[in-house]
Amino acid sequence: MAEKRTAESRVPALNRGQRFAEVEHAQNVGATIKRLTVYFAKEKRMVGCMLLVVVLGTLFGVYAPSLQSRAIDIIAGAAAGRLTRAVLAMFLAYALYSLCQLLQSLVSARLSQSIVRRLRGELFARIIDVPVRYLDTHSHGDVMSRMTNDIENISTTVSQSLPSLFSGVLTIIGTAAIMIAFCWQLALLSCATVVLTVLTTMFLSKQVRLYSRRRQMLLGRLNGTVEEMISGFRTVVAYNHQDRTTQEFCETSDQLTKAGIRTDIMSGIMGPIMNCIGNIGFVIIAAFGGYFAIHGLISVGVISAFIVYAKQFSRPINEIAQIYGQLQTAIAGAERVFAVLDEEAEPMEGEALLADKGASVSFEHVDFSYIPGHPVLRDFTLTVPSGRKVALVGATGSGKTTVVNLLMRFYDIDSGDIRIDGQRLADIARGSLRKDVAIVLQDTVLFADTVRSNLTYNNAEATQEKLDEAVEMSRCREMIDHLPQGYDTMLAASGANISQGQRQLLAIARAFVADPKILILDEATSNVDTRTEKEIQSAMQRIMQGRTSIVIAHRLSTIRDADLIVVMDHGRIVEQGSHEALLHQQGKYYELYMTQFAGFAT
């Protein structure tokens, strides 16, 4: 039993827990392994130390049973020598073997964390440097999975699977050599059970993977049902769908239970079958070993050694079979990580923005498309005068937000030109541009930090007086005063511990603190009530004075005082002028206005 526990303890924990999980496969295994070796090369000392410990541990593990054989032969009178010395030598070999196993775990864990730390750092640095287009066109969950799951798979493989693989291969070679040296006939008979073990493992693993795949699919469906029910609980209750939702959940849960039982049964019989095959091997060794011992080919001690070696020989074969799937998954994960690392970083070089406060902005015959062949802006020409407030209105998909994306250089134009006070936008460094342009988005983003840190996100040197002024202007004073620690109150991730309207007020205050040369408001008051909206509008007039401002709005009441209202439709400007002038034209703006305020059908 002790030998069995020792053998199982060497199997990587992840493999024992997820032994038959779905295996991912890399498209280019050779190139991925070659790139991974570069990270190992940077840790030469630890790699060399790990290999040395693995080799020494394997030697002691293979040599110890032969000392046990000699001690038994001395007891049986089949060999000469002092029993005490033989027992001490055997004890020392097993002690050194255990010490090497401990050192192997420690060194491999440190090596794993060193490599993963370097990989994780490079990956995070690349993610924050990739163009906005990359994150807009890739699933955020997939990107996060590369940072977490894929990196964790690599970590587990380096810390557990690779050492087990190296020691397993060496153990097989060393054990086979000693078994052949003792008695090649008995060694061949022992291999028969090894072949049976491998074939049984392959068959059962295939069956369990089939059931496991179905279980994972049903588990994902069940989790999706629960997530939808929780996130849409009000809708479920409002439409009285509790019974139907419960029925769907129970049906999926029943299917998952059946698949789980079958998977667990197939997984559970693996151990007993392996033990049965192992016992058959012991019977073969005992029977034929006894026959050979009677005829003087081997001693009783050799028989005892063969029993240990037979288990020692089959164990790493099973381990390698289990490790193989984890290696494949780790290599596939590394390939996915390298795919992100190979993405080109967003170019940050360029000139400093030379414009002063209240810079003019001009779009000159700009064409742009997110997908080639599907233009979003067509021959877009617009001048935002210095220090003026310009509002962009239009139906969803008309290109309003795209104008902001281009001005912030989240995307580069296909053709045409954009200038700020005559300076070409393409020549301005993105860092300099974004430092002097503040933007308040409809989807407010706050970070898990203090209120103060969120307000000073773009202006870390802002004084307390500046903060107080921004808070007063954005009508945040009362809200902050009611927080437990005021400015030093910690916000939850995405500001989850305050309301959506309060988040938007803080985002507006953050833009005030930034004191930008150009201010962009993208539906900045969409999540506040009408009364608060009017207060913010009056406050905005103060910060917009002498500052170029671009406002995107669906609520036309928020932009009636704009110096210029630009009406967009399918990427083109169809009308522009003041509020009164556009109403007088009775065109597209008039239709939008009457829809909102006169109750016309949409």
Side-chain angles (χ1 to χ4, degrees), residues 251-262:
E251 289 176 356
T252 305
S253 181
D254 290 343
Q255 295 176 20
L256 176 61
T257 300
K258 294 178 182 178
I261 291 174
R262 290 171 181 170

Side-chain angles (χ1 to χ4, degrees), residues 504-535:
Q504 200 137 35
L505 289 174
L506 287 178
I508 293 171
R510 178 169 58 191
F512 290 172
V513 174
D515 193 21
K517 296 175 180 178
I518 299 173
L519 179 64
I520 299 174
L521 303 173
D522 187 353
E523 284 294 325
T525 60
S526 61
N527 292 314
V528 296
D529 59 83
T530 305
R531 180 179 178 181
T532 305
E533 179 185 44
K534 290 181 178 179
E535 293 177 350

Side-chain angles (χ1 to χ4, degrees), residues 1 7 11 16 55 92 96 118 143 154 167 210 244-246 318 324 349 357 391 420 463 488 491 525 538 554 564:
M1 290 297 293
V11 181
R16 283 187 275 126
V55 170
L92 181 61
L96 290 174
R118 195 185 303 273
V143 175
I154 296 172
S167 63
L210 292 176
R244 180 175 174 181
T245 303
T246 302
N318 291 329
Y324 178 76
E349 65 277 358
K357 182 178 178 180
I420 299 178
T463 63
D488 297 320
L491 297 179
T525 60
S538 62
H554 288 104
L564 178 67

Side-chain angles (χ1 to χ4, degrees), residues 493-506:
S494 301
N497 54 341
I498 59 177
S499 70
Q500 180 63 40
Q502 290 174 326
R503 292 177 222 165
Q504 200 137 35
L505 289 174
L506 287 178

Side-chain angles (χ1 to χ4, degrees), residues 50-77:
M50 186 186 74
L51 291 177
L52 177 62
V53 171
V54 168
V55 170
L56 290 176
T58 303
L59 289 176
F60 288 127
V62 171
Y63 184 57
S66 65
L67 295 176
Q68 174 183 318
S69 171
R70 178 170 175 77
I72 292 175
D73 284 342
I74 292 175
I75 295 173

Side-chain angles (χ1 to χ4, degrees), residues 257-529:
T257 300
K258 294 178 182 178
I261 291 174
R262 290 171 181 170
T263 304
D264 291 340
I265 288 175
M266 296 302 294
S267 300
I269 65 176
M270 175 72 74
I273 291 178
M274 291 299 104
N275 286 335
C276 180
I277 295 175
N279 292 333
I280 293 174
F282 296 154
V283 172
I284 292 175
I285 292 173
F288 286 92
Y291 176 80
F292 293 151
I294 292 174
H295 289 77
L297 294 177
I298 57 176
S299 64
V300 177
V302 171
I303 298 176
S304 69
F306 255 89
I307 292 176
V308 177
Y309 281 131
K311 181 176 285 292
Q312 193 168 274
F313 186 78
S314 61
R315 185 193 65 236
I317 293 178
N318 291 329
E319 287 185 10
I320 291 174
Q322 296 163 16
I323 290 170
Y324 178 76
Q326 175 62 22
L327 288 175
Q328 290 291 329
T329 301
I331 293 172
E335 187 176 58
R336 283 158 46 85
V337 170
F338 292 144
V340 179
L341 293 177
D342 290 338
E343 289 291 329
E344 293 186 7
E346 186 177 40
M348 301 301 290
E349 65 277 358
E351 307 169 355
L353 179 60
L354 304 177
D356 295 325
K357 182 178 178 180
S360 64
V361 178
S362 61
F363 293 80
E364 303 170 2
H365 306 288
V366 172
D367 291 324
F368 174 76
S369 58
Y370 293 102
I371 302 173
H374 297 80
V376 177
L377 294 183
R378 304 174 179 86
D379 194 27
F380 183 82
T381 299
L382 172 67
T383 298
V384 181
S386 173
R388 298 301 180 90
K389 175 183 177 181
V390 173
L392 303 179
V393 300
T396 301
S398 58
K400 304 184 299 297
T401 301
T402 299
V403 173
V404 173
N405 287 339
L406 296 180
L407 181 58
M408 294 292 294
R409 288 200 71 186
F410 292 153
Y411 292 84
D412 286 327
I413 59 177
D414 296 336
S415 62
D417 208 357
I418 303 176
R419 295 179 181 271
I420 299 178
D421 271 359
Q423 188 178 6
R424 294 184 69 247
L425 190 70
D427 297 333
I428 301 173
R430 285 177 167 85
S432 176
L433 170 70
R434 294 165 186 170
K435 184 174 180 60
D436 290 323
V437 179
I439 182 170
V440 180
L441 299 172
Q442 179 179 1
D443 298 325
T444 306
V445 176
L446 295 176
F447 300 96
D449 206 333
T450 63
V451 172
R452 186 186 305 276
S453 296
N454 275 279
L455 293 177
T456 59
Y457 193 72
N458 194 37
N459 187 3
E461 299 178 357
T463 63
Q464 185 63 46
E465 182 181 356
K466 183 71 175 178
L467 285 179
D468 292 336
E469 180 185 4
V471 166
E472 291 291 346
M473 293 175 64
S474 60
R475 302 299 189 268
C476 291
R477 170 57 61 194
E478 183 178 358
M479 177 193 73
I480 293 178
D481 287 343
H482 281 82
L483 293 175
Q485 285 84 38
Y487 285 110
D488 297 320
T489 300
M490 286 292 298
L491 297 179
S494 301
N497 54 341
I498 59 177
S499 70
Q500 180 63 40
Q502 290 174 326
R503 292 177 222 165
Q504 200 137 35
L505 289 174
L506 287 178
I508 293 171
R510 178 169 58 191
F512 290 172
V513 174
D515 193 21
K517 296 175 180 178
I518 299 173
L519 179 64
I520 299 174
L521 303 173
D522 187 353
E523 284 294 325
T525 60
S526 61
N527 292 314
V528 296
D529 59 83

